[in-house]
Amino acid sequence: MMDHDLETAALGAYQDKPRTFPNMRTKPYTPLIFRILLGINVRVLFILLLLGLGAIFYVGASTSPIIVFVISVCILSFLVAIYLTKWVLAKDEGPPEMVQISDAIRDGAEGFFRTQYGSISKMAMLLALVILCIYLFRSTTPQQESSGLGRTTSAYITVASFLLGALCSGVAGYVGMWVSVRANVRVSSAARRSAREALQVATRAGGLSAIIVVVPLLLVGYGFGASFVALFAQLGGGIYTKAADVGADLVGKVEQGIPEDDPRNPAVIADLVGDNVGDCAARGADLFESIAAEIISAMILGGTMAQRCKIADPSGFILFPLVVHSFDLIVSSAGIFSIRGTRETGIIVPMEDPMTILQKGYSFTIVLAVLAFGLSTRWLLYTEQAPSAWFNFALCGLIGIITAYIFVWIAKYYTDYKHEPVRILALSSSTGHGTNIIAGVSLGLESTALPVLVISVSIISAFWLGHTCGLVDETGNPTGGLFGTAVATMGMLSTAAYILTMDMFGPIADNAGGIVEMSQQPESVREITDVLDAVGNTTKATTKGFAIGSAALASFLLFSAYMDEVSAFAHEPFKQVDIAIPEVFVGGLLGSMLIFVFSAWACAAVGRTAQEVVNEVRRQFIERPGIMDYKEKPDYGRCVAIVASASLREMIKPGALAIISPIVVGILFRILGYYTGQPLLGAKVVAALLMFATVSGILMALFLNTAGGAWDNAKKYIETGALGGKGSEAHKAAITGDTVGDPFKDTAGPSIHVLIKMLATITLVMAPVFL
């Protein structure tokens, strides 16, 4: 009978105690562009679409049919996004007490976003001036001279592309946050009727922001701009969400013994706001930046290889990444729409596991992606010089798709409480807090092994398939190895929109649970949102596994691009880095150190901010004893203000470390090389720094993400009634583990994904300084 209640969530009488506190609403804010788009008449939209398509086909007829295809898919995907927006916003918001809480969350998230991105934009403008000065006074490459691009033109193009990348990354983050703060209350309301409908609303809301994020553009400066914004968005958002979460849990759940997301907890609104600015906005910027980095490196490698092999029409090799991501939008949209709503009413069926439903959608998306990838390689990568090369590259893509699937499975195995690792972790909680921490750390360390083996096999396999594809340069040397690895990276990211949908599902479901708890809905509704929230923890962990896998492959490609860049500026070959040279080895040590210090500062920032929250929440409980009896309203705004200001302050130090370190190391060793007669020493040391930082970063991120996700779901497993359930000693120990894991999985871990790609793009942009 309980399964039936979970599926139908028949509305019982509300509890007698007061459900919420007085109105928390402030004036809503919606950007002008969103108000215009949502207000467009369907007929006007159809006419504009026809005019747009006409213009595209006119341009395409005089340039390339590939460009026509890419832009057409982008337009159609944008229309799908508008349809999903209208569909989600048409859902009801539930009773007034739900709407009040949702409005408070939205106001907090949008206020923080405006302040945070104001700070980031000022830093971006300052960095743009630095890049402009470097490029105005550097030497030009032979390629630039032959193309007629002067030093000044090149400088302004690089700066413009940096600012464009920063802007697009910011837009990607904003879209993620804008959707989540409007979808959360609609998922809460849908959970009052059916678990399946709540799942569908959460998935489609996540799908909308995922489709917008997959925006294909290029240029090295563009990638650096995207990385720059993504790093600070992830740091600031991660510090915000976890400081609020830790502060709310330590005082509310451990000291006061009140449930998670209880309206009496002064930090609860800050916690729910953090889900949006930390998970939705930051992850949108993160995956956008991943896709941008992969497209840039693949287009550079494709163009270079086609030029070396004297391929008559290189456009297919250059534009191939754009077509792959166009198909990504199509297949991921199909996967999103494959998740249906409720069944016919009146049929009593047990509630389906939401993870199983999402997994079926992912499997469907993967099947379509394999077919689309094979079609793309045959269409664009077929050449008379090597008739079977396209098939080798199709297999490279298949390796990438399989790698993505295995990564998702590994992350699910280590973080889902249906599997043994999390259950063993939960069992360790029954013997105390210390054993829980030891078990969580060991689980995280062990979880690095399988992903590393999978990455290693995929890189070598893809390189070998590309190397033996039959494409050779003028001297007969095979040239397709690196491009094969690039194609594997594209394969891995060929379902990125669906993966991002699964990621966005997590914080939306988490917020929905908070709204249900704060508005004191019936227990059956909370049970549905609890199940969705536990699934959301797993989907967030799987997305982080996917993100670090794609970051590893993309960084390998960007490292190769850096070697080529140095070679072009130095006018001499730069093919390998010898770590037996003491200075180069030191550069590697500094790269590994950078990852550890960055992680330490990110976690410490959460700890310091959480201490401020804990002190504030304790103060309110002491000074306002009526809070516990619903007679006095907590000051939610005070906690929101504390977390917002502290997270903006704390994000600067680790972010600055990441940007300044490679530049300072490169310049210092360039000076040392000048006096010791080693002209390329600066570039070699930076290459070692980049290589070691990437390797250390992959391992550190895997450890942090998996340990944090496992601790969280061990707590969720105990809350289902296992090992004594809520309030037991095992539950208290599991809360401690979850608190330790919070900055691991949502601040330091995800920030490292961005950090290792940003190190690669910053060294590309700053390469002239190291010579």
Side-chain angles (χ1 to χ4, degrees):
M1 194 63 192
M2 182 180 152
D3 283 334
H4 171 55
D5 290 341
L6 278 173
E7 178 63 34
T8 57
L11 282 176
Y14 282 6
Q15 296 172 28
D16 292 330
K17 65 181 179 180
R19 291 191 295 276
T20 187
F21 291 102
N23 198 350
M24 294 177 276
R25 186 169 195 165
T26 60
K27 189 178 178 183
Y29 169 80
T30 305
L32 179 63
I33 184 69
F34 280 86
R35 294 201 296 271
I36 292 169
L37 289 173
L38 293 173
I40 293 176
N41 182 281
V42 176
R43 289 175 184 171
V44 174
L45 201 63
F46 184 69
I47 292 166
L48 288 172
L49 174 65
L50 286 177
L51 289 171
L53 286 173
I56 288 163
F57 283 110
Y58 172 75
V59 171
S62 56
T63 53
S64 167
I66 304 170
I67 294 171
V68 174
F69 173 78
V70 170
I71 300 177
S72 300
V73 170
C74 287
I75 289 175
L76 290 172
S77 300
F78 189 64
L79 292 175
V80 170
I82 291 174
Y83 165 76
L84 287 174
T85 307
K86 288 181 175 287
W87 187 90
V88 170
L89 295 183
K91 293 286 178 182
D92 73 286
E93 295 182 316
E97 59 269 19
M98 277 189 176
V99 179
Q100 283 179 28
I101 298 157
S102 171
D103 287 341
I105 295 167
R106 187 184 66 209
D107 293 341
E110 290 180 342
F112 175 73
F113 190 92
R114 287 198 296 276
T115 309
Q116 182 192 30
Y117 275 71
S119 304
I120 292 172
S121 61
K122 288 171 190 167
M123 291 188 285
M125 293 304 295
L126 184 65
L127 193 55
L129 283 173
V130 173
I131 293 169
L132 181 65
C133 294
I134 289 168
Y135 272 63
L136 281 175
F137 297 103
R138 71 171 199 179
S139 60
T140 54
T141 65
Q143 290 91 331
Q144 287 173 331
E145 288 165 6
S146 62
S147 66
L149 270 182
R151 187 181 296 168
T152 308
T153 311
S154 174
Y156 283 112
I157 287 174
T158 306
V159 169
S161 59
F162 168 79
L163 293 174
L164 180 63
L167 175 67
C168 290
S169 188
V171 168
Y174 184 78
V175 168
M177 187 272 299
W178 189 90
V179 171
S180 66
V181 294
R182 283 156 180 81
N184 52 20
V185 71
R186 290 165 171 86
V187 175
S188 304
S189 181
R192 294 157 63 239
R193 294 184 290 275
S194 144
R196 188 71 183 241
E197 184 185 348
L199 174 69
Q200 187 189 25
V201 175
T203 307
R204 290 197 171 186
L208 153 65
S209 49
I211 287 169
I212 294 291
V213 163
V214 185
V215 180
L217 281 168
L218 60 156
L219 292 175
V220 169
Y222 180 87
F224 179 37
S227 298
F228 177 82
V229 169
L231 180 72
F232 282 101
Q234 186 68 69
L235 270 174
I239 293 166
Y240 187 113
T241 183
K242 288 304 109 180
D245 194 1
V246 168
D249 283 358
L250 284 177
V251 184
K253 292 199 309 203
V254 177
E255 294 181 10
Q256 298 294 330
I258 57 178
E260 188 165 0
D261 300 327
D262 192 287
R264 293 168 290 179
N265 193 326
V268 69
I269 291 290
D271 184 9
L272 295 172
V273 167
D275 292 334
N276 297 290
V277 298
D279 287 330
C280 292
R283 197 76 70 257
D286 178 3
L287 266 171
F288 169 83
E289 182 262 347
S290 274
I291 293 162
E294 176 261 323
I295 285 176
I296 291 158
S297 54
M299 291 180 92
I300 291 170
L301 286 168
T304 306
M305 187 187 71
Q307 187 182 21
R308 283 178 184 165
C309 298
K310 305 294 182 192
I311 292 171
D313 181 14
S315 61
F317 287 87
I318 296 168
L319 298 175
F320 180 66
L322 301 182
V323 172
V324 167
H325 286 293
S326 300
F327 275 120
D328 171 20
L329 292 168
I330 295 168
V331 301
S332 295
S333 297
I336 292 160
F337 282 109
S338 72
I339 295 172
R340 300 287 180 184
T342 48
R343 300 175 183 80
E344 296 175 27
T345 52
I347 300 174
I348 298 177
V349 288
M351 178 186 176
E352 282 188 71
D353 178 10
M355 192 68 208
T356 305
I357 298 167
L358 290 171
Q359 201 74 40
K360 283 178 184 172
Y362 183 48
S363 300
F364 177 63
T365 305
I366 277 195
V367 170
L368 294 179
V370 170
L371 296 173
F373 210 94
L375 181 67
S376 304
T377 48
R378 180 66 182 83
W379 174 29
L380 297 172
L381 303 184
Y382 178 81
T383 172
E384 294 292 340
Q385 287 167 247
S388 63
W390 72 271
F391 185 70
N392 279 40
F393 291 131
L395 291 177
C396 292
L398 185 62
I399 286 169
I401 292 169
I402 292 168
T403 301
Y405 192 85
I406 294 173
F407 255 82
V408 167
W409 183 86
I410 292 169
K412 182 173 174 288
Y413 173 74
Y414 278 108
T415 56
D416 192 336
Y417 63 60
K418 294 184 188 66
H419 300 291
E420 189 180 22
V422 174
R423 295 201 173 200
I424 292 172
L425 176 56
L427 187 62
S428 72
S429 305
S430 59
T431 51
H433 301 248
T435 48
N436 170 280
I437 299 299
I438 293 166
V441 170
S442 61
L443 183 150
L445 292 169
E446 182 194 306
S447 71
T448 60
L450 284 176
V452 167
L453 292 173
V454 171
I455 289 173
S456 305
V457 170
S458 61
I459 287 177
I460 292 170
S461 304
F463 187 90
W464 181 82
L465 278 168
H467 193 71
T468 57
C469 71
L471 287 171
V472 293
D473 61 15
E474 290 173 313
T475 58
N477 294 320
T479 59
L482 275 178
F483 188 68
T485 314
V487 174
T489 313
M490 283 182 258
M492 192 165 185
L493 286 166
S494 64
T495 53
Y498 189 88
I499 292 284
L500 186 57
T501 299
M502 288 171 68
D503 185 70
M504 294 288 183
F505 168 89
I508 291 171
D510 193 352
N511 256 211
I515 291 169
V516 165
E517 179 68 40
M518 283 193 74
S519 57
Q520 302 293 317
Q521 299 300 308
E523 188 61 29
S524 58
V525 182
R526 179 73 216 198
E527 284 172 353
I528 286 176
T529 55
D530 275 350
V531 171
L532 293 179
D533 187 14
V535 169
N537 281 336
T538 306
T539 60
K540 284 194 288 184
T542 57
T543 311
K544 287 165 191 164
F546 174 85
I548 196 62
S550 60
L553 289 171
S555 297
F556 175 71
L557 299 176
L558 288 166
F559 182 75
S560 304
Y562 168 74
M563 304 278 275
D564 288 343
E565 180 97 340
V566 171
S567 182
F569 281 113
H571 306 298
E572 62 179 276
F574 187 62
K575 298 288 184 188
Q576 54 200 31
V577 179
D578 184 0
I579 60 167
I581 298 169
E583 295 91 343
V584 176
F585 183 73
V586 167
L589 278 178
L590 292 172
S592 295
M593 180 205 73
L594 172 62
I595 297 295
F596 282 80
V597 174
F598 177 86
S599 303
W601 286 2
C603 290
V606 173
R608 280 192 296 270
T609 310
Q611 284 172 350
E612 294 183 43
V613 178
V614 166
N615 292 334
E616 174 59 25
V617 174
R618 283 175 179 162
R619 183 191 66 78
Q620 290 197 33
F621 276 127
I622 293 166
E623 294 180 6
R624 302 183 183 193
I627 286 175
M628 291 301 287
D629 302 320
Y630 292 88
K631 291 174 183 172
E632 286 185 85
K633 178 186 171 186
D635 185 355
Y636 299 117
R638 178 76 188 129
C639 285
V640 170
I642 285 171
V643 181
S645 61
S647 56
L648 290 172
R649 181 179 69 246
E650 295 282 0
M651 76 179 184
I652 302 297
K653 193 166 85 167
L657 174 78
I659 292 166
I660 294 168
S661 296
I663 299 173
V664 170
V665 168
I667 291 171
L668 285 177
F669 280 95
R670 174 194 173 174
I671 294 166
L672 181 63
Y674 176 78
Y675 286 108
T676 57
Q678 302 175 76
L680 290 181
L681 186 64
K684 287 176 181 175
V685 170
V686 168
L689 180 144
L690 182 57
M691 191 190 307
F692 280 62
T694 301
V695 171
S696 303
I698 291 164
L699 294 169
M700 179 68 88
L702 285 167
F703 162 67
L704 295 172
N705 291 339
T706 312
W711 267 317
D712 196 345
N713 270 352
K715 179 198 70 176
K716 287 274 188 287
Y717 175 59
I718 293 171
E719 287 172 352
T720 63
L723 302 169
K726 290 183 181 178
S728 65
E729 290 304 311
H731 185 232
K732 289 176 183 175
I735 290 170
T736 301
D738 178 34
T739 306
V740 172
D742 274 339
F744 279 29
K745 70 178 169 54
D746 287 323
T747 309
S751 297
I752 292 173
H753 307 166
V754 188
L755 171 66
I756 61 175
K757 287 172 291 187
M758 200 198 71
L759 286 173
T761 51
I762 197 171
T763 49
L764 266 176
V765 171
M766 299 295 179
V769 179
F770 310 143
L771 298 168

